[in-house]
Amino acid sequence: MPAMPDPFATRSTLKARGGKLQYYSLERLERQRRVALSRLPYAIRVLLESVLRQLDGFRVREQDLEALCRWGEPQSKGREFPFKPARVLMQDFTGVPAIVDLAAMRDAMAALGGDPQRINPVIPVELVIDHSVQVDRYASVSALQDNAALEFERNRERYEFLRWGAGAFADFRVVPPATGIVHQVNLEYLARVVAVRRDASGAELAFPDTLVGTDSHTTMINGIGVLGWGVGGIEAEAALLGQPLYMLIPEVIGFRLSGSLAEGVTATDLVLTITQVLRRHGVVDKIVEFFGPGLAGLSVADRATIGNMSPEYGATAAFFPVDAGTLQYLAFSGRDPEQLDLVERYCKEQGLFRTEQAPQPAYTSVLELDLGGVEPCLAGPARPQDRLSLAAAKGSWRASGQAPAGAEGVVVEIAGRRETLRDGAVAIAAITSCTNTSNPSVMVAAGLLARRAVERGLSVPAYVKTSLAPGSRVVTRYLERAGLMPYLQALGFHLVGYGCTTCIGNSGPLAPAVSRAIREKGLNVAAVLSGNRNFEGRIHPEVKSNYLASPPLVVAYALAGSMEVDLSAEPLGRDRNGQPVFLKDLWPSAEEIERTIRASLQPELFRAEYADVFSGNETWNRVRIPEAGRYAWDERSTYIRKPPFFEGLEARAAAPPPIREARVLALLGDSVTTDHISPAGSIPPDGPAGRWLLEHGVLKEEFNTYGARRGNHEVMIRGTFANIRIRNRLVPGVEGGYTRHLPGGERLPIAEAAERYAREGVSLLVIAGKEYGSGSSRDWAAKGTILLGVRAVLAESFERIHRSNLVGMGVLPLQFLEGQSAASLGLSGEELYTVEELARPGQELAVTARGEAGAEKRFIVRARVDTPVELDYYRQGGILPAVLRGFAGGGGQ
């Protein structure tokens, strides 16, 4: 191995329009190391530059640099390396608990005798408030204003807290509500592609814009060559405090695209197809990098759509290197000409600019897709990877449970209109989410389809709750310029807010008559949304079947009013003359869509909407700002409470106690999502969390959502494993957050059983199947787990972010050996479990399960504590206690 290099030997000067900048040259590193870096995937080159630039011999070491230089060779396989991103991105559901943790860390720092001000971001942090607005009002010109007013009324205390954070912490900026969805705002404005910052010597240094975000769909930014992915809030907090994120050097799957999309096929159809392909292939913990001639026909908006849904197919990131299309998008979205020049010059100098003529990198493996073979589709009724053709979608709602109401249905009266509500009816049709509303082609297509439908005299059944929640204000402006908003509104797709809304479960109430019919008759109704998640219980508690579709298909299904229609062959309605109208009669051509976009969307729209992005909301500007370096906790608050994670923290960590004779709190199946573990939507009044709120004087109508209450651990503990659709096999035939307290067998809510086990001094386990923890990056799925007293989770496989979050909270992830499961080992979940103590990363541990009669089963599992740093975090009770001890002891950043 070469001697420790002087990183300054690879520094070079870049001459750009804005002046001379310093940068760390990969070309000079290549000559120094005598390695062909051009064989590396572009994503690995970005990671390599980060390690080279931040080489310090301690946290970022020479062997980390060498391992990345040798990517793909046997000696680099399974090696860990430290990644220090350029910035951190947050949204309010995950951002509030992160800032709560930082505030509590300041208190804990003082208690340990350190300086609380050391708990401060050392890299830029940006938070976009987009998860709080709910669709209470809809199908009305006043819906936007009404929902915004309710949002501020419900969340004022949370917003006061965020305003305190923006003042108390350095380099922390907040984008106010009603601006847009975090990932679209990041794509359209916040992303730098190439960042510039002064180093310790005062020189201006250029380097790739990289980030981690407290939302799994942070990967959307990969569409413009910015490498970023979602992490839990605890990892984000460590990163913003200057700590590296340690990860195994990832495999990179090359995905070659050829051909072009056929007429009538959208980027949504493409990403649902890719999701199915990659989920089947298996790309968890891997990066997918796209290349091939097919990229030339995909806009950056199309690429961002594919990047966005990386969590749905399990990849760490889906990377599109910077190319000519990226530069066109940056200019189109109103970026400064000097920044455009810097991006082009820097990326070309560094070998980060993709062209078809450049040598193809060496990938771990290569997949291929002919874009011409992609067909219109949707996904459902419960998972993004369950892709359906339009024909197969008919009747597919039955897969989520047959309802007893019968073909005759139920007559409901809504706003003076009498409608028949049947099984398979579309109760929610929502154009929403970061995935699709960032893409002008599908948004304009929806508007054009709506115009043709209105011109033919079609209407939407009254029982369909319709909504339009764009990802940014730019979308509204170009739809208005194109003259399409009146037609969307004529079908009930009025603007309801700028935020995640229905996609995150903030869908609001259904019409009372609809809600009553569903409950009384047990109807199985559907939601169709242009989102990225359709997990059980996520969209609306009364809607069992949920489908992901492109915005124009959302409009089409709203018109049809039912999932009992094959839109590829059957009419979705009849015009004013009684003639059948088919989807093909309404669908706009690609040429018409493109012509409309060219006429209505120009760079000045982006510049105008983002001119005052941090200060343009007057209601936000009037929110009270508590001014203090440390937060004044209010014990009466039901929103913001001091978390228990740092209570009694000592300067030195004690080793975690052994897991002896632990009970199983929940025995779960496959595809348990973070929504199952820690729901984000409505809080039932008859559950543990609802009862706690009622006991503390909160009226039912003021409950808000689990997501909005994430600053209050008392609510979140009681909401853990409380999803209305979760199925614990310890209570067969029962849906919802229940378990049996053993050995007696009394059925209790999970939170109450956990509390009883804690009083008895009993440790707890969770056992699950494949893909445990898929979905959102929410750290409360891990925080709630540890606060319930769960010491370990034993699963057949873990999704990347949740596994990391478990370790980061001091929970031990254990994985069955290949081919084994709870069923194959004959585990009932009623046994007492003892686990061998962990001594090294990735260790195989013996587990003993002793039944009530004394019979024992012994089997081997693998500890998914993957790196030495993770082992240290686990032993210290998690990332944040470890970081805090480092700061208090004089270490840290």
Side-chain angles (χ1 to χ4, degrees), residues 382-503:
R383 299 191 306 174
Q385 64 262 40
D386 294 335
R387 187 175 65 91
L388 300 165
S389 67
L390 298 185
K394 178 180 179 179
S396 58
W397 56 268
R398 292 183 175 86
S400 58
Q402 178 66 49
E408 71 278 2
V410 183
V411 176
V412 295
E413 184 169 334
I414 305 166
R417 292 170 59 184
R418 291 173 63 83
E419 306 270 10
T420 301
L421 192 66
R422 296 184 173 89
D423 290 331
V426 174
I428 293 176
I431 300 175
T432 181
S433 98
C434 50
T435 309
N436 285 290
T437 66
S438 62
N439 195 330
S441 65
V442 290
M443 295 301 290
V444 166
L448 292 171
L449 190 148
R451 184 173 71 185
R452 292 185 179 180
V454 172
E455 289 171 348
R456 293 288 296 269
L458 298 182
S459 62
V460 172
Y463 56 74
V464 183
K465 181 172 186 175
T466 47
S467 60
L468 169 63
S472 82
R473 290 180 172 273
V474 174
V475 178
T476 311
R477 300 296 170 257
Y478 68 68
L479 288 175
E480 289 172 343
R481 276 195 177 189
L484 298 176
M485 283 295 285
Y487 298 101
L488 287 164
Q489 292 173 346
L491 298 180
F493 288 96
H494 291 72
L495 188 63
V496 297
Y498 295 97
C500 303
T501 62
T502 302
C503 190

Side-chain angles (χ1 to χ4, degrees), residues 820-867:
Q820 292 188 345
S821 66
S824 72
L825 293 169
L827 303 177
S828 68
E830 297 180 355
E831 304 88 352
L832 290 164
Y833 289 78
T834 295
V835 181
E836 182 183 356
E837 293 187 52
L838 179 65
R840 61 184 183 276
Q843 182 180 353
E844 291 190 348
L845 303 175
V847 177
T848 302
R850 179 165 56 85
E852 295 301 324
E856 290 187 347
K857 295 177 181 177
R858 192 173 187 275
F859 56 96
I860 303 298
V861 299
R862 184 162 68 90
R864 288 300 314 277
V865 178
D866 292 346
T867 69

